[in-house]
Amino acid sequence: MPLHVPPAPAPALRTVLTALGSPTAVREARTPSLRAAQGPATPELPLPVHVLDRITPDGASATRLAGWRFLIRCGERAVAAAETRLTPDGWAFSHFFEGPYVTATERALRQAETMTQAYQPRLLSVPELYMLTLWLHGDYEADGAEGHPAATDLLVPLAPAPPGIAAHRPHRVADLLPVLTQRLTPAPTSAPTPAPLLGSPA
């Protein structure tokens, strides 16, 4: 079933189009694939980027909108991504980038297209775990900039995923949040600190 991609704020899209039209911005971007791209580069598939800062005691996650990300397509594939962020003066272009998360996002979106249920795609970042997931929100008509992961939503960890978490395998939020809770919970401070091994840095 088709994904219901939320509309990005028009000012955010304009900042990306302006950056793509600027030879200086493209030339200075640390994205060789974008600089070497032949033909027009087009921003597609805008995804709101939400950040998971903490998990509350009742299991509900506290998230915040960090920006919008656009995949930059040239020809048949995405060669880079563009990040935008909200400033006191409105939406601003942040930077271009490439790397494994670009291809992983594209792969996860294709995977989600084959599901029988309709979803709204978003990105959910867990900075403390260096983890990025494709968040498939069940309320596909919701405002993409708002809301929190529901228990029945799906999270698809993107590669590279943290050790012990399978990339590109959909997990229900209710199943994955307890795992993330354990990893985000600080270790008890009452235990004595082990002495460093001989010859290891203190």
Side-chain angles (χ1 to χ4, degrees):
M1 182 173 291
L3 294 175
H4 294 256
V5 179
L13 175 59
R14 283 198 296 270
T15 66
V16 174
L17 291 172
T18 299
L20 283 173
S22 166
T24 301
V26 172
R27 184 172 60 251
E28 294 180 353
R30 296 180 180 178
T31 51
S33 295
L34 183 59
R35 294 199 303 268
Q38 300 294 322
T42 307
E44 295 183 354
L45 294 171
L47 298 174
V49 182
H50 294 258
V51 176
L52 176 63
D53 287 319
R54 61 187 175 87
I55 299 175
T56 60
D58 61 359
S61 56
T63 61
R64 59 181 172 83
L65 180 70
W68 284 78
R69 180 174 299 178
F70 299 77
L71 292 182
I72 306 301
R73 184 173 297 278
C74 186
E76 297 297 320
R77 66 185 184 93
V79 297
E83 196 91 0
T84 63
R85 56 187 174 85
L86 189 59
T87 71
D89 296 323
W91 287 98
F93 172 75
S94 177
H95 60 281
F96 293 115
F97 68 94
E98 62 180 274
Y101 280 142
V102 174
T103 53
T105 300
E106 198 171 32
R107 172 183 170 183
L109 288 168
R110 287 197 304 266
Q111 180 183 357
E113 285 278 3
T114 66
M115 296 180 178
T116 56
Q117 182 177 339
Y119 289 102
Q120 181 190 84
R122 307 174 174 193
L123 292 173
L124 182 64
S125 171
V126 188
E128 290 187 48
L129 299 179
Y130 300 97
M131 179 180 181
L132 184 65
T133 71
L134 178 65
W135 168 14
L136 298 175
H137 191 43
D139 184 3
Y140 56 82
E141 294 183 346
D143 183 342
E146 299 179 354
H148 303 294
T152 55
D153 287 354
L154 297 180
L155 297 177
V156 184
L158 302 182
I165 296 179
H168 295 289
R169 179 179 298 174
H171 302 268
R172 291 175 67 250
V173 166
D175 298 329
L176 188 58
L177 274 189
V179 177
L180 301 184
T181 302
Q182 293 177 356
R183 297 196 178 201
L184 291 173
T185 302
T189 57
S190 57
T193 303
L197 296 175
L198 184 65
S200 64

